[in-house]
Amino acid sequence: MSNIKTTSEYFGLSHEELLQTKDHSYTKEENLLYDEGLNVTFFDDLKECEQEKETFQNWINERNFEVKTVLETINGRIAFVLI
C-alpha cells in the first residue's frame, strides 16, 4: 500500500475545498468518498490496516465487495472505497 493517493490528489481539490461542510454535517471529502462506492471503511492509519488486514479481507469477501481504491484522507485516515 505504498502508492496510496491522497483525497486531494484523487478528487483534484484543495484541503480547504475538501473540508467544506453544509449544515455542519459531513465534509465535502466524506461526501465524495461515500459517492465513490457502495461502502467506505476507514482505518486510523496504515498500522491499523495491517493489524486488521485478515479480518477486513474476510468481511469484504463475505459481502462480495471489491476494493475500488484506497485513499489517505486529510486527517491521515486510510479510506477503503468498496464496490
Side-chain angles (χ1 to χ4, degrees):
M1 278 194 252
S2 58
N3 292 329
I4 297 175
K5 283 188 176 183
T6 65
T7 53
S8 185
E9 292 170 321
Y10 187 81
F11 294 116
L13 298 171
S14 70
H15 284 197
E16 292 77 21
E17 291 170 307
L18 289 171
L19 287 174
Q20 292 174 358
T21 61
K22 290 183 181 176
D23 301 323
H24 303 289
S25 60
Y26 292 112
T27 63
K28 185 169 192 155
E29 178 187 53
E30 290 166 324
N31 285 323
L32 288 169
L33 285 168
Y34 293 132
D35 288 345
E36 279 295 296
L38 299 172
N39 178 284
V40 180
T41 300
F42 295 94
F43 291 94
D44 290 337
D45 52 31
L46 287 173
K47 182 179 177 183
E48 183 183 22
C49 287
E50 281 301 313
Q51 291 171 339
E52 299 293 330
K53 184 177 181 176
E54 187 176 331
T55 302
F56 184 53
Q57 188 61 56
N58 289 337
W59 184 86
I60 289 171
N61 293 343
E62 288 171 3
R63 286 155 183 81
N64 294 317
F65 283 135
E66 293 178 29
V67 177
K68 177 179 181 180
T69 190
V70 181
L71 301 169
E72 182 178 348
T73 66
I74 292 170
N75 63 0
R77 292 187 300 168
I78 306 300
F80 281 76
V81 178
L82 308 174
I83 55 174

